[in-house]
């Protein structure tokens, strides 16, 4: 196959746009796992929940899914707070978080998936938006809007999270909690409240990412599991606890998948992504931008 | 009871069960029991690394599938006797556990868990692309016409093999649990840093535990292609193996060998019943709800209740 | 402890078995099977079950078979092979049904074969691609009209039509999902390409959970194939069709073996995106004259389908699920008993009159003549389902005796 500029150019564009989406999926994990040390394996379940809520509203009232998801993100925030409270009371307080916490979130993931199946069935669901079927063409390069719009909003969200963490008092409290809980307590801040809200934020981002997902591709309940590995791969690759690292990791993964799909055969793309994760864990566990 | 005595008793009971089962003429019993026994082995195996050592493995399906696919590979290559396939599958899965352990057990537990998940995906992709064992199209494994040992049907042989393998897994688990090795693993589970400081060779023990756990999980999968006659990647790597191998020890009790056995028999039987009565989507919901309920409210599982009751009596 | 448990288990099962015995004047004729009521193929499974139940009610209204009322015993196989041995051993040893048929799809047919073969049962199966080639069982029958050599016959129509393009195509691109059906279909396509002397310029598969199909379509475009053969399941069928439209694939002909566009869900979702594509269908309103009685069956089916939330058109599986039961009914009546050997012998030699026309089986249990329709979608406007019930939205290209028109090429130009 001759590698034309069109093919190469479009592979780069696709990788970039895909990477933006992967960043939205993973930024929540970057917070909950990277900063709070909570291994929320159920993160993709909330992404799917976001997708289905966006789908229902879009199907019945025709509103744009991304707008809907931003509007309902406070609900996800509250859901996150409730979930963290249960997690904290049952596990973290008792020091059992490693094994039991993992099993707990695994169970939550499962219950969410099966409940979605019982309600919606396993057929794929799609949304109709004003831009789903438009593609901008610049010369030989294609920019399908169904990828571009989520990409832009996702970037805005990720940058927003980073600015929140570095420029607001609460945000810096989150960064502090990640570094040294005791010191934080000595300064008069309740680490539980900080962690509770940070975790809630991560779940809120999951809800919005869900809308991106259903704009980009059809969804059905079991695809959540495909994203567990991806989200953690991105975070570990980028470096835990670093939002810029997550963004970088997401782009690396997006490019890896896009290039593999275009030049070597799409069949190998999942192995490349996860192979990258395994290699990172084996040789540089702190990731690219990690501490 | 010493380990040797226990092994003897287990072996005798296993043979008795196999002999008694010859009185049953209903083949459905064997099909259902095969699946439950599969879970007994998986749960016991998972618990060696999970309950005894405290490291969660999300990739049980991968080890199971490795056992199954090594059988497929040998079948396509030169069709050795079943026992050879079982031994090979167990060995290959054990090496996989060793490799995964060596790569990731130097890091924290969560990394091992995530890596086990990632490894499952990589292996799945590899098998899907491997045409020799059928790849995505799947492979047909035909049960031999002649059933060895004089069993009337092949499923009886498979059932007998599973009973013996389950007994073997339980013996291994008990042997580890009651040995010095087991105490080292328990120390790692309770506080790894303290264990390391007390001189426990944590890395070596963890890797050993991962290898044994992986080997037994692979052993559970070695006869699966013969049971189904047709194997393809999605069913071999199915998520129900991963979830059940975690839920069953959790529900039964993770601290000792009877726990996974109880959890597997209980949950496995419930699932078999649900399958032929109500709709099966509820099947998975039940497993998920039980998992969450037990992990939050009864962290030591059913065996934990038994122990608490025994303690109260004294 | 384990022994007691084992004995308790056995007692429980025996009790279950005992409770399954029913006593009646003329005992009902019980037909047992597993069916996908949950899992990836649940939509089709439920549609098939509805059709089979319509047949059962039709037959019982006319007095049953051999004076016995027909009853179904079925379990959900979850579209998972692992449940099949348990289900069929239960049906045969515990429920003691009189006759069995299969569930839907290769995944659930293959695991049942050893059980069926051990007991020498006559086995009618529903839409499995080329299962019997591995087992060589002489009492296996398949209702899917693929033809005596399914993996080749499946893409026969498409390649035949492709060779009528002018100029004559010299290159072909083959693509499909990493799964059992597409792998089998692509194998057949490769054989056709070899037979016709075509150069295969692209031959790759993609994982079923692929998010973005545009890189794949671009890679295909880069090889400039004269036509493209795609074998896919509903989710990736939709994704590929969208990607092909998004990228603007320029080629002589596109389509082939996409599963999914036969159902209302994808027809309505994709709507005009389907224009110009060539694919297979089991039925189209344009050839309704060739299938008398089918319209009244479809009316009954569609009424129930809408209520139960399954495929409201029913052009794919339902007529064949009904026909499969008709074949069994006619065979039992002709033989006069449930002797499995006699049933199988009759099915091998007779020709059956069913709602999908005349059915005849080859020696390996597949259809003697392939009869999947190769069609080209055209004139689709909007996303409603009603337009599909009227003729004029597909042109039937193959087989010749069902043809309603010629293919419009190239693919991109024919979308107008």
């Amino acid at each position: 196959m001759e590698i034309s500029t069109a093919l190469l150019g479009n592979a780069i564009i696709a990788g970039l746009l895909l990477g933006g989406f992967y960043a939205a999926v993973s930024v929540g994990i970057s917070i909950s796992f990277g900063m709070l040390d909570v291994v929320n394996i159920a993160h993709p379940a909330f992404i799917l929940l976001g997708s289905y809520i966006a789908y229902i509203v879009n199907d019945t009232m025709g509103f744009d899914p991304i707008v809907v998801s931003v509007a309902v993100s406070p609900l996800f925030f509250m859901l996150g707070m409730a979930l963290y409270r249960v997690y904290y009371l049952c596990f973290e307080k008792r020091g059992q978080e490693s094994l039991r916490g993992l099993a707990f979130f695994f169970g939550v993931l499962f219950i969410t998936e099966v409940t979605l199946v019982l309600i919606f069935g396993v057929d794929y669901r799609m949304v109709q938006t004003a831009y789903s079927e438009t593609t901008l063409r610049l010369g030989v390069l294609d920019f399908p809007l169904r990828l571009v719009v989520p990409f832009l909003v996702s970037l805005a969200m990720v940058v927003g999270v980073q600015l929140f963490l570095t420029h607001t008092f609460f945000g810096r409290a989150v960064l502090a909690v990640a570094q040294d809980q005791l010191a934080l307590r000595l300064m008069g801040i309740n680490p539980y409240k900080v962690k509770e809200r940070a975790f809630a934020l991560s779940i809120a981002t999951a809800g919005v990412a869900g809308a991106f997902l259903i704009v980009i591709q059809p969804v059905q309940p079991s695809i959540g599991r495909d994203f567990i590995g991806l989200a953690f791969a991105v975070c570990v690759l980028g470096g835990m606890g670093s939002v810029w690292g997550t963004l970088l990791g997401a782009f690396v993964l997006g490019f890896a998948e896009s290039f593999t799909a275009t030049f070597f055969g799409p069949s190998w793309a999942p192995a490349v992504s996860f192979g990258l994760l395994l290699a990172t864990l084996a040789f540089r566990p702190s990731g690219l931008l990690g501490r | 009871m010493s380990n040797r005595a226990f092994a003897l008793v287990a072996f005798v009971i296993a043979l008795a069960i196999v002999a008694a089962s010859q009185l049953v003429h209903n083949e459905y019993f064997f099909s259902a029991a095969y699946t439950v026994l599969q879970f007994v082995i998986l749960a016991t195996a998972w618990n060696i690394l999970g309950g005894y050592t405290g490291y969660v493995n999300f990739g049980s399906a991968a080890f199971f599938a490795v056992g199954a696919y090594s059988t497929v590979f040998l079948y396509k290559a030169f069709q050795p006797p079943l026992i050879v396939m079982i031994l090979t599958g167990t060995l290959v899965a054990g090496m996989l556990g060793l490799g995964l352990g060596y790569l990731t057990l130097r890091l924290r537990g969560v990394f091992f868990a995530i890596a086990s998940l990632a490894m499952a995906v990589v292996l799945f992709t590899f098998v899907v692309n491997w045409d020799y064992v059928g790849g995505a199209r799947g492979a047909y494994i035909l049960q031999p016409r002649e059933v060895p040992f004089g069993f009337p049907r092949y499923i009886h042989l498979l059932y007998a093999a599973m009973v013996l393998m389950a007994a073997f897994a339980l013996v291994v688990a008990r042997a580890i649990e009651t040995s010095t090795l087991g105490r080292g693993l328990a120390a790692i589970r309770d506080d790894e840093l303290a264990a390391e400081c007390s001189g426990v060779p944590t890395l070596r023990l963890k890797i050993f535990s991962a290898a044994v756990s992986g080997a037994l999980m692979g052993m559970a999968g070695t006869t699966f292609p013969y049971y189904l006659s047709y194997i393809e990647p999605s069913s071999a790597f199915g998520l129900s193996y991963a979830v059940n191998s975690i839920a069953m020890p959790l529900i039964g009790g993770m601290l000792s060998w009877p726990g996974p056995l109880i959890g597997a028999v209980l949950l496995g039987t419930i699932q078999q019943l649900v399958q032929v009565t109500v709709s099966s989507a509820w099947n998975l919901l039940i497993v998920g709800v039980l998992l969450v309920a037990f992990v939050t409210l009864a962290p030591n599982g059913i065996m934990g209740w038994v122990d608490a009751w025994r303690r109260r009596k004294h | 402890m384990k022994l007691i448990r084992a004995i308790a288990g056995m007692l429980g099962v025996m009790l279950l078995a005992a409770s399954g015995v029913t006593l009646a004047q003329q005992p009902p004729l019980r037909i047992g099977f597993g069916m996908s009521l949950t899992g990836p193929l649940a939509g089709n499974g439920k549609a098939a079950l509805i059709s089979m139940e319509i047949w059962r009610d039709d037959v019982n209204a006319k007095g049953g078979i051999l004076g016995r009322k027909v009853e179904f015993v079925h379990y959900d196989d979850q579209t998972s092979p692992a449940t099949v041995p348990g289900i069929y051993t239960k049906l045969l040893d515990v429920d003691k049904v009189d006759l069995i048929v299969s569930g839907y799809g290769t995944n659930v047919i293959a695991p049942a074969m050893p059980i069926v073969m051990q007991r020498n049962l006559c086995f009618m199966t529903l839409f499995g691609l080329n299962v019997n080639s591995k087992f060589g069982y002489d009492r296996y029958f398949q209702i899917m009209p693929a033809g005596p050599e399914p993996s080749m016959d499946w893409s026969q129509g498409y390649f035949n039509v492709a060779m009528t393009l002018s100029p004559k195509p010299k290159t072909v691109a083959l693509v499909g999902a990493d799964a059992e059906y597409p792998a089998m279909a692509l194998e057949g396509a490769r054989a056709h390409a070899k037979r016709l002397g075509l150069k295969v310029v692209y031959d790759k598969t993609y994982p079923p959970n692929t998010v973005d199909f545009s890189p794949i379509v671009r890679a295909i475009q880069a090889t400039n194939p004269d036509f493209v053969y795609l074998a896919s399941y509903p989710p990736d069928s939709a994704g590929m069709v969208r990607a092909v439209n998004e990228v603007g694939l320029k080629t002589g002909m596109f389509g082939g073996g996409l599963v999914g566009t036969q159902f209302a869900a994808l027809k309505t979702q994709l709507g005009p995106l389907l224009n110009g594509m060539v694919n297979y269908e089991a039925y189209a309103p344009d050839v309704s004259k060739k299938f008398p009685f089918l319209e009244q069956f479809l009316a009954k089916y569609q009424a129930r389908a809408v209520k139960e939330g399954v495929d409201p058109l029913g052009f794919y599986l339902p007529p064949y699920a009904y026909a499969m039961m008709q074949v069994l009914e006619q065979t039992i009546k002709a033989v006069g008993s449930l002797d499995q050997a006699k049933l199988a012998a009759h099915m091998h030699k007779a020709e059956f009159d069913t709602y999908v026309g005349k059915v005849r089986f080859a020696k390996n249990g597949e259809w003697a003549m392939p009869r999947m329709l190769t069609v080209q979608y055209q004139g689709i406007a909007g996303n409603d389902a009603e337009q599909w019930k009227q003729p004029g939205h597909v042109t039937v290209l193959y087989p010749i005796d069902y043809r309603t028109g010629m293919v419009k090429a190239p693919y991109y130009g024919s979308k107008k």
Side-chain angles (χ1 to χ4, degrees):
Chain A
M1 184 198 330
E2 337 96 58
I3 299 180
S4 62
T5 34
L7 204 57
L8 186 64
N10 282 311
I12 294 177
I13 302 287
L16 194 71
L17 296 178
L18 213 56
F21 166 62
Y22 288 159
V25 167
S26 322
V27 72
I29 295 282
S30 178
I31 298 175
S32 61
F33 184 39
M35 296 175 205
L36 305 175
D37 233 11
V38 177
V39 191
N40 181 9
I41 304 261
H43 191 80
F46 297 101
I47 296 179
L48 273 182
L49 212 54
S51 299
Y52 273 94
I53 292 179
Y55 164 74
I56 298 175
V57 177
N58 178 267
D59 201 41
T60 49
M61 294 189 256
F63 293 143
D64 179 81
I66 297 182
V67 168
V68 169
S69 70
V70 173
V72 302
S73 52
L75 286 175
F76 277 86
F77 191 86
M78 292 195 295
L79 183 61
M81 281 180 47
L83 188 64
Y84 185 76
R85 177 165 301 222
V86 174
Y87 171 77
Y88 181 77
L89 289 174
C90 299
F91 306 104
E92 205 165 291
K93 228 160 88 166
R94 301 193 204 149
Q96 305 273 13
E97 64 264 28
S98 54
L99 185 78
R100 306 234 163 79
L102 273 171
F104 170 72
F105 281 117
F106 202 53
V108 169
L109 171 72
F110 223 64
I111 293 177
T112 314
E113 178 177 323
V114 175
T115 313
L116 283 173
V117 167
L118 286 173
I119 302 176
F120 292 99
V122 291
D123 291 327
Y124 277 82
R125 309 282 176 175
M126 276 225 77
V127 288
Q128 305 281 5
T129 63
Y131 44 83
S132 292
E133 321 218 330
T134 329
T135 306
L136 296 173
R137 284 182 218 278
L138 283 174
V140 290
L141 300 177
D142 292 331
F143 292 84
L145 287 188
R146 90 191 143 84
L147 284 177
V148 170
V149 172
F151 169 77
L152 293 173
V153 183
S154 158
L155 273 189
M157 183 172 85
V158 172
V159 169
V161 167
Q162 174 67 0
L163 290 177
F164 168 78
L165 288 174
T166 47
H167 285 73
T168 66
F169 177 76
F170 191 83
R172 271 177 280 164
V174 174
L175 290 175
V177 124
Q179 285 179 16
D180 194 331
Q181 278 197 51
L182 184 56
L184 194 74
R185 203 180 253 130
L186 288 175
M187 297 210 265
I189 303 172
N190 182 355
Y192 170 77
K193 284 237 175 304
V194 173
K195 288 196 281 187
E196 187 192 43
R197 301 221 165 117
F199 187 80
L201 178 65
S202 84
I203 300 295
T205 62
V208 179
F212 298 154
L213 178 61
I214 198 172
V215 166
I216 291 177
Q217 63 156 103
V219 302
Q220 60 112 323
S222 73
I223 67 177
R225 288 179 252 135
D226 301 334
F227 288 97
I228 302 175
L230 191 137
F232 281 93
V234 166
C235 288
V236 171
L237 192 58
M240 309 273 274
S242 161
V243 174
W244 291 139
T246 303
L247 199 58
L248 185 63
F251 283 129
V252 169
L253 218 66
F255 281 127
E257 275 196 20
S258 179
F259 273 65
T260 313
T262 309
F263 297 110
F264 296 105
S267 193
W268 288 101
V272 165
S273 319
F274 295 114
L276 263 174
L277 169 65
L278 285 177
T280 314
L281 281 179
F283 300 116
R284 196 187 153 80
S286 55
L288 294 168
L289 294 184
R291 287 172 270 121
Chain B
M1 200 197 279
S2 81
N3 282 326
R4 232 167 277 223
F6 181 81
L8 197 64
V9 170
F11 187 61
V12 166
I13 292 182
L15 284 178
I17 290 179
V18 171
S21 71
Q22 290 311 303
L23 298 170
V24 179
H25 291 295
N26 160 357
E27 209 172 296
Y28 172 61
F29 167 75
F30 292 96
S31 303
Y34 177 93
T35 309
V36 173
L37 286 168
Q38 212 173 49
F39 282 122
V40 169
I41 303 176
L42 275 173
T44 306
W46 184 91
N47 201 41
I48 292 177
L49 189 60
Y52 294 173
T53 322
Y55 277 77
V56 177
N57 179 0
F58 284 125
S60 319
F63 291 95
F64 177 83
V66 160
Y69 269 94
S70 68
T71 298
V72 174
F73 179 80
L74 287 176
Y75 176 85
K76 297 232 173 220
F78 59 99
Q79 289 214 17
L82 190 62
I83 186 73
V84 171
M85 296 196 198
I86 292 177
L87 287 172
T88 315
T90 310
L91 214 67
V92 174
M95 291 200 298
L96 184 69
L98 192 74
L100 182 68
Y102 186 73
L103 271 182
T104 58
L105 284 174
R106 276 172 289 188
L107 312 166
R108 293 160 52 209
V110 296
F111 287 117
F112 173 77
I114 297 169
S116 67
L117 213 94
M119 183 201 68
V121 176
V122 173
L123 274 175
F124 176 77
T125 309
F126 180 69
V127 168
V128 156
N129 283 299
W130 192 12
D131 275 328
Y132 186 67
V133 294
R137 206 179 327 150
Y140 287 91
I141 311 290
L142 301 175
Q143 295 173 354
R145 284 271 172 200
E146 292 287 314
V147 188
F149 302 114
F151 286 105
R153 292 232 171 100
Y154 203 74
I155 183 78
H156 297 202
L157 175 66
L158 291 178
Y159 171 80
M162 291 304 271
V163 173
L164 288 168
M165 289 196 280
F168 177 70
L170 289 170
V171 168
V172 168
R174 186 179 186 275
I176 291 181
E177 184 188 333
T178 54
S179 67
T180 333
L181 172 67
R183 264 173 279 155
L185 294 178
I188 295 174
R189 174 191 64 220
D190 291 332
D191 192 328
E192 192 164 337
L193 194 54
E196 182 77 42
C197 292
S198 315
V200 176
T202 54
L203 185 63
R204 226 180 301 153
L205 291 187
K206 284 190 291 186
I207 293 179
F208 177 78
S209 176
V212 170
S213 174
L216 291 176
M217 287 197 273
M219 184 176 81
T222 47
T223 56
F224 196 53
Y226 278 102
Y227 173 70
L228 285 186
S229 297
Y230 171 72
I231 193 136
E232 46 93 40
S234 316
S235 47
F237 283 87
L239 187 71
S240 95
Y241 296 117
V243 175
N244 276 309
S245 58
I246 299 177
M248 290 169 178
L250 216 106
I251 290 173
M254 292 197 285
L255 298 175
S256 59
W257 66 268
L261 174 65
I262 295 176
V265 172
L266 199 65
L267 209 57
T269 314
I270 292 178
Q271 286 181 30
Q272 287 296 306
L273 284 174
V274 169
Q275 190 174 298
V276 291
T277 46
V278 291
S279 157
S280 46
W282 291 96
N283 203 336
L284 288 182
L285 188 64
I286 290 172
V287 177
V289 168
L290 281 175
L291 175 63
V292 173
F294 270 83
V295 85
T296 32
L297 304 169
N300 287 321
I302 294 180
M303 282 307 287
W305 291 341
V306 171
D307 284 337
W309 174 76
R310 265 202 230 140
R311 255 180 276 132
R312 247 182 283 133
K313 276 184 73 185
H314 296 254
Chain C
M1 259 207 327
K2 247 184 108 179
L3 185 60
I4 297 176
R5 220 171 270 130
I7 293 183
M10 278 188 260
L11 278 173
V13 167
M14 282 187 238
L15 278 168
L16 254 165
S19 67
V21 173
T22 52
L23 294 161
Q25 289 276 41
Q26 264 275 49
L29 195 129
R30 296 160 84 231
I31 305 182
F33 53 94
M35 189 51 77
S36 310
L37 301 176
T38 57
L41 296 178
N44 299 3
K46 287 198 260 194
L49 184 61
I50 291 177
S51 314
M52 289 159 81
E53 286 174 343
I54 294 178
W55 168 85
R56 176 199 59 195
D57 298 338
D58 283 348
V59 159
N60 285 337
K62 288 190 249 144
I65 301 182
L66 300 180
R68 297 165 71 175
K69 205 163 127 111
V70 172
E71 255 176 34
F72 285 159
V73 182
H74 68 270
Y75 300 113
D76 179 5
D77 62 29
Q78 305 173 49
T79 323
S80 161
T83 60
V84 173
I87 288 178
Y88 279 87
T89 48
K90 177 153 201 288
L91 286 170
L92 292 164
D93 288 339
V94 178
D95 302 317
K96 299 212 197 300
V97 295
D98 299 299
L99 200 63
I100 50 161
V101 294
S102 80
Y104 166 60
T106 309
N107 263 20
V108 299
I109 296 176
M113 292 296 286
I115 299 170
V116 161
M117 286 166 71
Q118 255 168 19
R119 298 153 195 254
N120 287 314
L121 297 174
C122 181
F123 196 37
M124 171 60 95
T125 64
L126 183 62
F127 278 60
L129 193 58
N130 214 12
V131 176
N132 204 23
S133 63
K134 301 292 188 275
F135 297 95
Y137 185 47
D138 61 353
R139 296 186 188 178
Y140 166 96
F141 297 95
Q142 173 57 255
I143 200 64
M144 181 167 73
E149 254 171 275
S151 85
M152 287 275 304
D153 294 331
W154 189 251
S155 40
Q156 168 108 343
Y158 190 81
F159 276 82
N160 265 10
V161 172
M163 295 315 277
T164 67
L165 297 172
S166 103
K168 230 186 175 62
K170 296 210 194 55
T171 60
V172 64
L174 305 176
V175 62
D178 272 337
E180 151 269 318
Y181 151 72
M184 176 81 52
L186 287 175
E187 198 182 83
R190 247 169 250 127
H192 279 298
K194 192 158 166 218
R195 172 180 69 90
L196 296 165
L198 296 163
K199 182 157 171 264
V200 178
V201 290
Y202 182 94
D203 187 356
K204 293 213 175 81
T205 56
Y206 50 80
N209 58 350
T210 304
V211 174
D212 191 12
F213 291 90
S214 325
I216 299 166
V217 176
R218 274 184 238 287
I220 294 176
Q221 180 77 90
T223 63
N224 269 319
D226 289 329
F227 68 103
V228 178
Y229 181 85
L230 166 67
S232 55
Y233 275 128
D236 31 299
S237 299
M240 279 296 281
V241 170
R242 280 175 201 278
V244 157
N245 279 275
E246 197 174 86
V247 169
L249 179 69
K250 292 185 175 38
T251 184
M253 197 164 91
F254 165 72
L258 289 81
V259 178
T261 61
Q262 302 79 21
F263 318 128
L266 246 66
K267 283 180 155 79
T268 51
Q269 240 179 53
L270 297 171
L273 295 179
L274 289 172
N275 279 328
M277 190 174 88
V278 176
N279 198 20
Y280 77 93
E281 291 271 352
Y283 170 78
D286 307 62
V287 293
S288 61
K289 303 254 185 320
K290 299 265 184 183
F291 304 103
F293 305 116
L294 195 52
E295 299 239 13
Q296 65 182 117
F297 162 71
L298 282 176
K300 270 193 231 172
Y301 166 83
Q302 283 166 357
R304 270 192 69 174
V306 170
K307 254 193 285 159
E308 304 192 23
V310 245
D311 175 24
L313 285 174
F315 288 169
Y316 187 56
L317 216 49
Y320 285 90
Y322 193 99
M324 154 172 109
M325 305 312 286
Q326 282 185 302
V327 167
L328 282 175
E329 175 193 349
Q330 292 171 24
T331 306
I332 299 174
K333 286 192 180 147
V335 165
S337 77
L338 287 169
D339 180 308
Q340 303 285 317
K342 293 201 186 132
L343 291 176
H346 181 85
M347 283 168 74
H348 269 302
K349 62 177 187 355
E351 189 178 71
F352 299 91
D353 237 319
T354 71
Y355 281 3
V356 298
K358 297 217 188 298
V359 178
R360 188 176 258 280
F361 297 105
K363 237 177 104 181
N364 62 1
E366 306 282 349
W367 276 45
M369 294 289 302
R371 210 206 293 140
M372 270 303 188
L373 305 173
T374 306
V375 310
Q376 183 170 35
Y377 300 105
Q378 39 141 104
I380 300 149
N383 298 77
D384 66 297
E386 284 306 305
Q387 63 183 323
W388 292 93
K389 292 189 185 164
Q390 312 305 323
H393 296 94
V394 305
T395 314
V396 180
L397 306 166
Y398 188 89
I400 317 281
D401 16 327
Y402 294 87
R403 185 157 66 189
T404 65
M406 301 299 291
V407 65
K408 289 202 182 71
Y411 166 66
Y412 203 58
S414 64
K415 293 171 80 59
K416 305 292 175 277

